[in-house]
PDB file of all heavy atoms in Angstrom:
ATOM      1  N   PHE W   1       0.848  -1.235  -0.003  1.00 77.00           N
ATOM      2  CA  PHE W   1      -0.005  -0.003   0.028  1.00 77.00           C
ATOM      3  C   PHE W   1       0.809   1.269   0.020  1.00 77.00           C
ATOM      4  O   PHE W   1       0.517   2.187  -0.682  1.00 77.00           O
ATOM      5  CB  PHE W   1      -0.904   0.000   1.190  1.00 77.00           C
ATOM      6  CG  PHE W   1      -2.062  -0.968   1.116  1.00 77.00           C
ATOM      7  CD1 PHE W   1      -2.595  -1.622   2.324  1.00 77.00           C
ATOM      8  CD2 PHE W   1      -2.672  -1.305  -0.062  1.00 77.00           C
ATOM      9  CE1 PHE W   1      -3.573  -2.474   2.194  1.00 77.00           C
ATOM     10  CE2 PHE W   1      -3.693  -2.139  -0.169  1.00 77.00           C
ATOM     11  CZ  PHE W   1      -4.135  -2.779   1.014  1.00 77.00           C
ATOM     12  N   ILE W   2       1.955   1.216   0.789  1.00 75.00           N
ATOM     13  CA  ILE W   2       2.882   2.355   0.856  1.00 75.00           C
ATOM     14  C   ILE W   2       3.532   2.598  -0.443  1.00 75.00           C
ATOM     15  O   ILE W   2       3.572   3.749  -0.972  1.00 75.00           O
ATOM     16  CB  ILE W   2       3.888   2.274   1.986  1.00 75.00           C
ATOM     17  CG1 ILE W   2       3.219   2.323   3.384  1.00 75.00           C
ATOM     18  CG2 ILE W   2       4.984   3.260   1.875  1.00 75.00           C
ATOM     19  CD1 ILE W   2       4.016   1.913   4.521  1.00 75.00           C
ATOM     20  N   GLU W   3       4.006   1.498  -1.065  1.00 80.00           N
ATOM     21  CA  GLU W   3       4.649   1.663  -2.395  1.00 80.00           C
ATOM     22  C   GLU W   3       3.731   2.138  -3.480  1.00 80.00           C
ATOM     23  O   GLU W   3       4.007   2.940  -4.340  1.00 80.00           O
ATOM     24  CB  GLU W   3       5.307   0.276  -2.820  1.00 80.00           C
ATOM     25  CG  GLU W   3       6.463  -0.118  -2.007  1.00 80.00           C
ATOM     26  CD  GLU W   3       7.629   0.796  -2.098  1.00 80.00           C
ATOM     27  OE1 GLU W   3       8.162   0.930  -3.244  1.00 80.00           O
ATOM     28  OE2 GLU W   3       7.972   1.454  -1.168  1.00 80.00           O
ATOM     29  N   LEU W   4       2.430   1.652  -3.423  1.00 80.00           N
ATOM     30  CA  LEU W   4       1.444   2.055  -4.361  1.00 80.00           C
ATOM     31  C   LEU W   4       1.176   3.518  -4.221  1.00 80.00           C
ATOM     32  O   LEU W   4       1.053   4.271  -5.270  1.00 80.00           O
ATOM     33  CB  LEU W   4       0.126   1.215  -4.281  1.00 80.00           C
ATOM     34  CG  LEU W   4      -1.004   1.510  -5.166  1.00 80.00           C
ATOM     35  CD1 LEU W   4      -0.571   1.284  -6.629  1.00 80.00           C
ATOM     36  CD2 LEU W   4      -2.199   0.683  -4.809  1.00 80.00           C
ATOM     37  N   ALA W   5       0.956   3.988  -2.947  1.00 76.00           N
ATOM     38  CA  ALA W   5       0.709   5.376  -2.669  1.00 76.00           C
ATOM     39  C   ALA W   5       1.894   6.254  -3.175  1.00 76.00           C
ATOM     40  O   ALA W   5       1.638   7.361  -3.678  1.00 76.00           O
ATOM     41  CB  ALA W   5       0.428   5.605  -1.210  1.00 76.00           C
ATOM     42  N   LYS W   6       3.107   5.805  -2.950  1.00 77.00           N
ATOM     43  CA  LYS W   6       4.290   6.472  -3.422  1.00 77.00           C
ATOM     44  C   LYS W   6       4.292   6.689  -4.991  1.00 77.00           C
ATOM     45  O   LYS W   6       4.511   7.752  -5.453  1.00 77.00           O
ATOM     46  CB  LYS W   6       5.601   5.697  -3.021  1.00 77.00           C
ATOM     47  CG  LYS W   6       6.141   5.989  -1.637  1.00 77.00           C
ATOM     48  CD  LYS W   6       7.456   5.263  -1.588  1.00 77.00           C
ATOM     49  CE  LYS W   6       8.013   5.354  -0.137  1.00 77.00           C
ATOM     50  NZ  LYS W   6       9.280   4.593  -0.114  1.00 77.00           N
ATOM     51  N   SER W   7       3.948   5.596  -5.657  1.00 81.00           N
ATOM     52  CA  SER W   7       3.950   5.648  -7.081  1.00 81.00           C
ATOM     53  C   SER W   7       2.916   6.553  -7.633  1.00 81.00           C
ATOM     54  O   SER W   7       3.125   7.191  -8.642  1.00 81.00           O
ATOM     55  CB  SER W   7       3.852   4.223  -7.695  1.00 81.00           C
ATOM     56  OG  SER W   7       2.512   3.727  -7.464  1.00 81.00           O
ATOM     57  N   LEU W   8       1.807   6.701  -7.012  1.00 78.00           N
ATOM     58  CA  LEU W   8       0.621   7.506  -7.436  1.00 78.00           C
ATOM     59  C   LEU W   8       0.789   8.985  -7.004  1.00 78.00           C
ATOM     60  O   LEU W   8       0.398   9.900  -7.757  1.00 78.00           O
ATOM     61  CB  LEU W   8      -0.650   6.919  -6.914  1.00 78.00           C
ATOM     62  CG  LEU W   8      -1.015   5.552  -7.496  1.00 78.00           C
ATOM     63  CD1 LEU W   8      -2.324   5.063  -6.742  1.00 78.00           C
ATOM     64  CD2 LEU W   8      -1.285   5.623  -9.036  1.00 78.00           C
ATOM     65  N   PHE W   9       1.275   9.236  -5.764  1.00 74.00           N
ATOM     66  CA  PHE W   9       1.225  10.533  -5.284  1.00 74.00           C
ATOM     67  C   PHE W   9       2.622  11.146  -4.779  1.00 74.00           C
ATOM     68  O   PHE W   9       2.649  12.319  -4.360  1.00 74.00           O
ATOM     69  CB  PHE W   9       0.337  10.628  -4.066  1.00 74.00           C
ATOM     70  CG  PHE W   9      -1.099  10.160  -4.414  1.00 74.00           C
ATOM     71  CD1 PHE W   9      -1.559   8.846  -4.068  1.00 74.00           C
ATOM     72  CD2 PHE W   9      -2.049  11.034  -5.020  1.00 74.00           C
ATOM     73  CE1 PHE W   9      -2.863   8.483  -4.332  1.00 74.00           C
ATOM     74  CE2 PHE W   9      -3.260  10.648  -5.313  1.00 74.00           C
ATOM     75  CZ  PHE W   9      -3.705   9.340  -5.048  1.00 74.00           C
ATOM     76  N   GLY W  10       3.628  10.312  -4.833  1.00 73.00           N
ATOM     77  CA  GLY W  10       4.871  10.750  -4.279  1.00 73.00           C
ATOM     78  C   GLY W  10       5.547  11.944  -4.979  1.00 73.00           C
ATOM     79  O   GLY W  10       6.231  12.772  -4.369  1.00 73.00           O
ATOM     80  N   HIS W  11       5.250  12.173  -6.291  1.00 75.00           N
ATOM     81  CA  HIS W  11       5.847  13.337  -7.004  1.00 75.00           C
ATOM     82  C   HIS W  11       5.042  14.606  -6.850  1.00 75.00           C
ATOM     83  O   HIS W  11       5.516  15.713  -7.268  1.00 75.00           O
ATOM     84  CB  HIS W  11       5.917  12.898  -8.476  1.00 75.00           C
ATOM     85  CG  HIS W  11       4.609  12.675  -9.197  1.00 75.00           C
ATOM     86  ND1 HIS W  11       3.881  11.542  -8.908  1.00 75.00           N
ATOM     87  CD2 HIS W  11       3.862  13.493 -10.021  1.00 75.00           C
ATOM     88  CE1 HIS W  11       2.819  11.654  -9.621  1.00 75.00           C
ATOM     89  NE2 HIS W  11       2.743  12.768 -10.320  1.00 75.00           N
ATOM     90  N   HIS W  12       3.860  14.506  -6.183  1.00 76.00           N
ATOM     91  CA  HIS W  12       3.080  15.721  -6.075  1.00 76.00           C
ATOM     92  C   HIS W  12       3.644  16.676  -4.916  1.00 76.00           C
ATOM     93  O   HIS W  12       4.486  16.186  -4.162  1.00 76.00           O
ATOM     94  CB  HIS W  12       1.660  15.404  -5.627  1.00 76.00           C
ATOM     95  CG  HIS W  12       0.827  14.728  -6.765  1.00 76.00           C
ATOM     96  ND1 HIS W  12      -0.515  14.800  -6.760  1.00 76.00           N
ATOM     97  CD2 HIS W  12       1.215  14.108  -7.780  1.00 76.00           C
ATOM     98  CE1 HIS W  12      -0.924  14.181  -7.893  1.00 76.00           C
ATOM     99  NE2 HIS W  12       0.139  13.694  -8.538  1.00 76.00           N
ATOM    100  N   VAL W  13       3.197  17.890  -4.843  1.00 78.00           N
ATOM    101  CA  VAL W  13       3.545  18.786  -3.774  1.00 78.00           C
ATOM    102  C   VAL W  13       3.138  18.116  -2.463  1.00 78.00           C
ATOM    103  O   VAL W  13       2.013  17.710  -2.306  1.00 78.00           O
ATOM    104  CB  VAL W  13       2.918  20.196  -3.941  1.00 78.00           C
ATOM    105  CG1 VAL W  13       3.187  20.976  -2.706  1.00 78.00           C
ATOM    106  CG2 VAL W  13       3.374  20.841  -5.206  1.00 78.00           C
ATOM    107  N   GLY W  14       4.087  18.083  -1.516  1.00 74.00           N
ATOM    108  CA  GLY W  14       3.750  17.347  -0.290  1.00 74.00           C
ATOM    109  C   GLY W  14       3.551  15.868  -0.437  1.00 74.00           C
ATOM    110  O   GLY W  14       2.887  15.188   0.262  1.00 74.00           O
ATOM    111  N   GLY W  15       4.193  15.322  -1.435  1.00 74.00           N
ATOM    112  CA  GLY W  15       3.979  13.913  -1.826  1.00 74.00           C
ATOM    113  C   GLY W  15       4.212  12.969  -0.665  1.00 74.00           C
ATOM    114  O   GLY W  15       3.303  12.050  -0.379  1.00 74.00           O
ATOM    115  N   PRO W  16       5.274  12.946   0.098  1.00 71.00           N
ATOM    116  CA  PRO W  16       5.509  11.980   1.157  1.00 71.00           C
ATOM    117  C   PRO W  16       4.339  11.979   2.209  1.00 71.00           C
ATOM    118  O   PRO W  16       3.959  10.919   2.750  1.00 71.00           O
ATOM    119  CB  PRO W  16       6.772  12.517   1.877  1.00 71.00           C
ATOM    120  CG  PRO W  16       7.452  13.258   0.796  1.00 71.00           C
ATOM    121  CD  PRO W  16       6.437  13.920   0.002  1.00 71.00           C
ATOM    122  N   ALA W  17       3.863  13.158   2.568  1.00 77.00           N
ATOM    123  CA  ALA W  17       2.758  13.272   3.423  1.00 77.00           C
ATOM    124  C   ALA W  17       1.441  12.708   2.849  1.00 77.00           C
ATOM    125  O   ALA W  17       0.596  12.072   3.538  1.00 77.00           O
ATOM    126  CB  ALA W  17       2.494  14.676   3.964  1.00 77.00           C
ATOM    127  N   LYS W  18       1.225  12.951   1.651  1.00 78.00           N
ATOM    128  CA  LYS W  18       0.023  12.420   0.925  1.00 78.00           C
ATOM    129  C   LYS W  18       0.104  10.937   0.846  1.00 78.00           C
ATOM    130  O   LYS W  18      -0.903  10.153   0.893  1.00 78.00           O
ATOM    131  CB  LYS W  18      -0.095  13.010  -0.522  1.00 78.00           C
ATOM    132  CG  LYS W  18      -0.458  14.510  -0.453  1.00 78.00           C
ATOM    133  CD  LYS W  18      -0.564  15.155  -1.816  1.00 78.00           C
ATOM    134  CE  LYS W  18      -0.918  16.645  -1.700  1.00 78.00           C
ATOM    135  NZ  LYS W  18      -0.811  17.343  -2.935  1.00 78.00           N
ATOM    136  N   VAL W  19       1.359  10.367   0.691  1.00 74.00           N
ATOM    137  CA  VAL W  19       1.529   8.887   0.760  1.00 74.00           C
ATOM    138  C   VAL W  19       1.074   8.377   2.082  1.00 74.00           C
ATOM    139  O   VAL W  19       0.450   7.355   2.215  1.00 74.00           O
ATOM    140  CB  VAL W  19       3.044   8.564   0.464  1.00 74.00           C
ATOM    141  CG1 VAL W  19       3.280   7.088   0.838  1.00 74.00           C
ATOM    142  CG2 VAL W  19       3.401   8.909  -0.975  1.00 74.00           C
ATOM    143  N   ALA W  20       1.458   9.145   3.165  1.00 74.00           N
ATOM    144  CA  ALA W  20       1.008   8.711   4.512  1.00 74.00           C
ATOM    145  C   ALA W  20      -0.449   8.696   4.678  1.00 74.00           C
ATOM    146  O   ALA W  20      -1.048   7.768   5.201  1.00 74.00           O
ATOM    147  CB  ALA W  20       1.657   9.618   5.590  1.00 74.00           C
ATOM    148  N   VAL W  21      -1.158   9.706   4.122  1.00 80.00           N
ATOM    149  CA  VAL W  21      -2.610   9.859   4.179  1.00 80.00           C
ATOM    150  C   VAL W  21      -3.276   8.630   3.503  1.00 80.00           C
ATOM    151  O   VAL W  21      -4.146   7.962   4.055  1.00 80.00           O
ATOM    152  CB  VAL W  21      -3.063  11.113   3.610  1.00 80.00           C
ATOM    153  CG1 VAL W  21      -4.588  11.217   3.523  1.00 80.00           C
ATOM    154  CG2 VAL W  21      -2.535  12.335   4.400  1.00 80.00           C
ATOM    155  N   ILE W  22      -2.791   8.399   2.258  1.00 78.00           N
ATOM    156  CA  ILE W  22      -3.439   7.353   1.535  1.00 78.00           C
ATOM    157  C   ILE W  22      -3.240   5.931   2.031  1.00 78.00           C
ATOM    158  O   ILE W  22      -4.108   5.129   2.238  1.00 78.00           O
ATOM    159  CB  ILE W  22      -3.015   7.366   0.062  1.00 78.00           C
ATOM    160  CG1 ILE W  22      -3.345   8.690  -0.585  1.00 78.00           C
ATOM    161  CG2 ILE W  22      -3.558   6.305  -0.799  1.00 78.00           C
ATOM    162  CD1 ILE W  22      -4.838   9.091  -0.631  1.00 78.00           C
ATOM    163  N   SER W  23      -1.916   5.687   2.365  1.00 75.00           N
ATOM    164  CA  SER W  23      -1.607   4.337   2.881  1.00 75.00           C
ATOM    165  C   SER W  23      -2.162   4.072   4.242  1.00 75.00           C
ATOM    166  O   SER W  23      -2.671   2.958   4.562  1.00 75.00           O
ATOM    167  CB  SER W  23      -0.077   4.188   2.960  1.00 75.00           C
ATOM    168  OG  SER W  23       0.475   5.150   3.803  1.00 75.00           O
ATOM    169  N   SER W  24      -2.244   5.085   5.087  1.00 76.00           N
ATOM    170  CA  SER W  24      -2.847   4.924   6.349  1.00 76.00           C
ATOM    171  C   SER W  24      -4.382   4.651   6.330  1.00 76.00           C
ATOM    172  O   SER W  24      -4.911   3.890   7.064  1.00 76.00           O
ATOM    173  CB  SER W  24      -2.605   6.190   7.275  1.00 76.00           C
ATOM    174  OG  SER W  24      -1.288   6.349   7.557  1.00 76.00           O
ATOM    175  N   GLY W  25      -5.049   5.334   5.371  1.00 77.00           N
ATOM    176  CA  GLY W  25      -6.414   5.049   5.150  1.00 77.00           C
ATOM    177  C   GLY W  25      -6.655   3.631   4.685  1.00 77.00           C
ATOM    178  O   GLY W  25      -7.600   2.996   5.170  1.00 77.00           O
ATOM    179  N   LEU W  26      -5.882   3.157   3.740  1.00 74.00           N
ATOM    180  CA  LEU W  26      -6.106   1.761   3.267  1.00 74.00           C
ATOM    181  C   LEU W  26      -5.713   0.752   4.338  1.00 74.00           C
ATOM    182  O   LEU W  26      -6.526  -0.217   4.486  1.00 74.00           O
ATOM    183  CB  LEU W  26      -5.089   1.530   2.108  1.00 74.00           C
ATOM    184  CG  LEU W  26      -5.408   2.311   0.776  1.00 74.00           C
ATOM    185  CD1 LEU W  26      -4.319   2.258  -0.242  1.00 74.00           C
ATOM    186  CD2 LEU W  26      -6.756   1.839   0.173  1.00 74.00           C
ATOM    187  N   VAL W  27      -4.677   0.906   5.090  1.00 73.00           N
ATOM    188  CA  VAL W  27      -4.304  -0.034   6.123  1.00 73.00           C
ATOM    189  C   VAL W  27      -5.292   0.052   7.257  1.00 73.00           C
ATOM    190  O   VAL W  27      -5.703  -0.914   7.897  1.00 73.00           O
ATOM    191  CB  VAL W  27      -2.863   0.139   6.630  1.00 73.00           C
ATOM    192  CG1 VAL W  27      -2.568  -0.710   7.806  1.00 73.00           C
ATOM    193  CG2 VAL W  27      -1.858  -0.015   5.450  1.00 73.00           C
ATOM    194  N   GLY W  28      -5.693   1.300   7.631  1.00 71.00           N
ATOM    195  CA  GLY W  28      -6.519   1.476   8.799  1.00 71.00           C
ATOM    196  C   GLY W  28      -7.914   0.882   8.619  1.00 71.00           C
ATOM    197  O   GLY W  28      -8.579   0.444   9.565  1.00 71.00           O
ATOM    198  N   SER W  29      -8.379   0.906   7.394  1.00 72.00           N
ATOM    199  CA  SER W  29      -9.700   0.312   7.072  1.00 72.00           C
ATOM    200  C   SER W  29      -9.739  -1.187   7.486  1.00 72.00           C
ATOM    201  O   SER W  29     -10.674  -1.717   7.925  1.00 72.00           O
ATOM    202  CB  SER W  29     -10.074   0.385   5.661  1.00 72.00           C
ATOM    203  OG  SER W  29     -11.275  -0.221   5.347  1.00 72.00           O
ATOM    204  N   VAL W  30      -8.582  -1.830   7.303  1.00 70.00           N
ATOM    205  CA  VAL W  30      -8.492  -3.240   7.563  1.00 70.00           C
ATOM    206  C   VAL W  30      -8.167  -3.504   9.058  1.00 70.00           C
ATOM    207  O   VAL W  30      -8.789  -4.421   9.636  1.00 70.00           O
ATOM    208  CB  VAL W  30      -7.401  -3.943   6.617  1.00 70.00           C
ATOM    209  CG1 VAL W  30      -7.277  -5.407   6.970  1.00 70.00           C
ATOM    210  CG2 VAL W  30      -7.760  -3.707   5.182  1.00 70.00           C
ATOM    211  N   SER W  31      -7.242  -2.752   9.578  1.00 66.00           N
ATOM    212  CA  SER W  31      -6.752  -3.072  10.931  1.00 66.00           C
ATOM    213  C   SER W  31      -7.723  -2.743  11.956  1.00 66.00           C
ATOM    214  O   SER W  31      -7.835  -3.431  12.971  1.00 66.00           O
ATOM    215  CB  SER W  31      -5.391  -2.417  11.180  1.00 66.00           C
ATOM    216  OG  SER W  31      -5.611  -0.972  11.417  1.00 66.00           O
ATOM    217  N   GLY W  32      -8.373  -1.539  11.903  1.00 64.00           N
ATOM    218  CA  GLY W  32      -9.397  -1.153  12.873  1.00 64.00           C
ATOM    219  C   GLY W  32      -8.704  -0.681  14.200  1.00 64.00           C
ATOM    220  O   GLY W  32      -9.450  -0.391  15.146  1.00 64.00           O
ATOM    221  N   SER W  33      -7.413  -0.631  14.185  1.00 70.00           N
ATOM    222  CA  SER W  33      -6.704  -0.186  15.371  1.00 70.00           C
ATOM    223  C   SER W  33      -5.951   1.082  14.995  1.00 70.00           C
ATOM    224  O   SER W  33      -5.033   1.076  14.228  1.00 70.00           O
ATOM    225  CB  SER W  33      -5.783  -1.294  15.913  1.00 70.00           C
ATOM    226  OG  SER W  33      -4.866  -0.738  16.839  1.00 70.00           O
ATOM    227  N   VAL W  34      -6.240   2.151  15.745  1.00 78.00           N
ATOM    228  CA  VAL W  34      -5.563   3.433  15.437  1.00 78.00           C
ATOM    229  C   VAL W  34      -4.074   3.313  15.779  1.00 78.00           C
ATOM    230  O   VAL W  34      -3.206   3.630  14.961  1.00 78.00           O
ATOM    231  CB  VAL W  34      -6.132   4.580  16.245  1.00 78.00           C
ATOM    232  CG1 VAL W  34      -5.372   5.804  16.120  1.00 78.00           C
ATOM    233  CG2 VAL W  34      -7.562   4.863  15.910  1.00 78.00           C
ATOM    234  N   VAL W  35      -3.748   2.781  16.965  1.00 77.00           N
ATOM    235  CA  VAL W  35      -2.322   2.707  17.370  1.00 77.00           C
ATOM    236  C   VAL W  35      -1.589   1.676  16.505  1.00 77.00           C
ATOM    237  O   VAL W  35      -0.521   1.879  16.040  1.00 77.00           O
ATOM    238  CB  VAL W  35      -2.205   2.324  18.873  1.00 77.00           C
ATOM    239  CG1 VAL W  35      -0.723   2.004  19.299  1.00 77.00           C
ATOM    240  CG2 VAL W  35      -2.802   3.382  19.819  1.00 77.00           C
ATOM    241  N   GLY W  36      -2.334   0.543  16.254  1.00 74.00           N
ATOM    242  CA  GLY W  36      -1.681  -0.468  15.273  1.00 74.00           C
ATOM    243  C   GLY W  36      -1.369   0.084  13.945  1.00 74.00           C
ATOM    244  O   GLY W  36      -0.327  -0.181  13.347  1.00 74.00           O
ATOM    245  N   ASN W  37      -2.304   0.906  13.458  1.00 76.00           N
ATOM    246  CA  ASN W  37      -2.152   1.539  12.115  1.00 76.00           C
ATOM    247  C   ASN W  37      -0.953   2.460  12.123  1.00 76.00           C
ATOM    248  O   ASN W  37      -0.165   2.509  11.222  1.00 76.00           O
ATOM    249  CB  ASN W  37      -3.450   2.175  11.753  1.00 76.00           C
ATOM    250  CG  ASN W  37      -3.489   2.621  10.268  1.00 76.00           C
ATOM    251  OD1 ASN W  37      -2.571   2.287   9.537  1.00 76.00           O
ATOM    252  ND2 ASN W  37      -4.486   3.354   9.868  1.00 76.00           N
ATOM    253  N   ILE W  38      -0.892   3.319  13.188  1.00 82.00           N
ATOM    254  CA  ILE W  38       0.225   4.224  13.286  1.00 82.00           C
ATOM    255  C   ILE W  38       1.595   3.635  13.320  1.00 82.00           C
ATOM    256  O   ILE W  38       2.485   4.031  12.665  1.00 82.00           O
ATOM    257  CB  ILE W  38      -0.019   5.170  14.542  1.00 82.00           C
ATOM    258  CG1 ILE W  38      -1.242   6.100  14.350  1.00 82.00           C
ATOM    259  CG2 ILE W  38       1.202   5.988  14.856  1.00 82.00           C
ATOM    260  CD1 ILE W  38      -1.678   6.855  15.547  1.00 82.00           C
ATOM    261  N   VAL W  39       1.641   2.520  14.135  1.00 77.00           N
ATOM    262  CA  VAL W  39       2.921   1.906  14.275  1.00 77.00           C
ATOM    263  C   VAL W  39       3.305   1.146  12.999  1.00 77.00           C
ATOM    264  O   VAL W  39       4.413   1.160  12.553  1.00 77.00           O
ATOM    265  CB  VAL W  39       2.866   0.744  15.406  1.00 77.00           C
ATOM    266  CG1 VAL W  39       4.058  -0.134  15.435  1.00 77.00           C
ATOM    267  CG2 VAL W  39       2.657   1.487  16.778  1.00 77.00           C
ATOM    268  N   THR W  40       2.305   0.677  12.240  1.00 74.00           N
ATOM    269  CA  THR W  40       2.594  -0.070  10.982  1.00 74.00           C
ATOM    270  C   THR W  40       3.012   0.887   9.921  1.00 74.00           C
ATOM    271  O   THR W  40       4.097   0.748   9.309  1.00 74.00           O
ATOM    272  CB  THR W  40       1.334  -0.859  10.508  1.00 74.00           C
ATOM    273  OG1 THR W  40       0.879  -1.736  11.484  1.00 74.00           O
ATOM    274  CG2 THR W  40       1.662  -1.596   9.242  1.00 74.00           C
ATOM    275  N   THR W  41       2.136   1.864   9.529  1.00 77.00           N
ATOM    276  CA  THR W  41       2.448   2.809   8.456  1.00 77.00           C
ATOM    277  C   THR W  41       3.396   3.942   8.873  1.00 77.00           C
ATOM    278  O   THR W  41       4.201   4.405   8.092  1.00 77.00           O
ATOM    279  CB  THR W  41       1.225   3.338   7.822  1.00 77.00           C
ATOM    280  OG1 THR W  41       0.352   3.942   8.849  1.00 77.00           O
ATOM    281  CG2 THR W  41       0.349   2.242   7.212  1.00 77.00           C
ATOM    282  N   GLY W  42       3.233   4.373  10.159  1.00 81.00           N
ATOM    283  CA  GLY W  42       4.038   5.528  10.602  1.00 81.00           C
ATOM    284  C   GLY W  42       5.508   5.164  10.659  1.00 81.00           C
ATOM    285  O   GLY W  42       6.317   6.117  10.506  1.00 81.00           O
ATOM    286  N   SER W  43       5.837   3.944  10.869  1.00 78.00           N
ATOM    287  CA  SER W  43       7.293   3.647  10.898  1.00 78.00           C
ATOM    288  C   SER W  43       8.010   3.868   9.560  1.00 78.00           C
ATOM    289  O   SER W  43       9.206   4.073   9.492  1.00 78.00           O
ATOM    290  CB  SER W  43       7.473   2.161  11.318  1.00 78.00           C
ATOM    291  OG  SER W  43       6.863   1.245  10.387  1.00 78.00           O
ATOM    292  N   PHE W  44       7.131   3.882   8.435  1.00 76.00           N
ATOM    293  CA  PHE W  44       7.761   4.255   7.129  1.00 76.00           C
ATOM    294  C   PHE W  44       7.493   5.716   6.764  1.00 76.00           C
ATOM    295  O   PHE W  44       8.333   6.417   6.379  1.00 76.00           O
ATOM    296  CB  PHE W  44       7.087   3.363   6.070  1.00 76.00           C
ATOM    297  CG  PHE W  44       7.324   1.878   6.236  1.00 76.00           C
ATOM    298  CD1 PHE W  44       6.407   1.095   6.793  1.00 76.00           C
ATOM    299  CD2 PHE W  44       8.528   1.386   5.750  1.00 76.00           C
ATOM    300  CE1 PHE W  44       6.636  -0.248   6.902  1.00 76.00           C
ATOM    301  CE2 PHE W  44       8.772   0.033   5.891  1.00 76.00           C
ATOM    302  CZ  PHE W  44       7.892  -0.803   6.491  1.00 76.00           C
ATOM    303  N   SER W  45       6.221   6.088   7.008  1.00 79.00           N
ATOM    304  CA  SER W  45       5.823   7.461   6.521  1.00 79.00           C
ATOM    305  C   SER W  45       6.375   8.634   7.311  1.00 79.00           C
ATOM    306  O   SER W  45       6.687   9.592   6.716  1.00 79.00           O
ATOM    307  CB  SER W  45       4.318   7.546   6.525  1.00 79.00           C
ATOM    308  OG  SER W  45       3.807   7.450   7.840  1.00 79.00           O
TER     309      SER W  45
END
């Protein structure tokens, strides 16, 4: 999810943060845990 978000939005203005927004939304929908989602995607983003 992070790599996909990078490829789609990484070159935009504020790309890295937009990658965090998109990837966190995708992962968070599945995990259902705020802290778990932050630890998973936040360690990269």
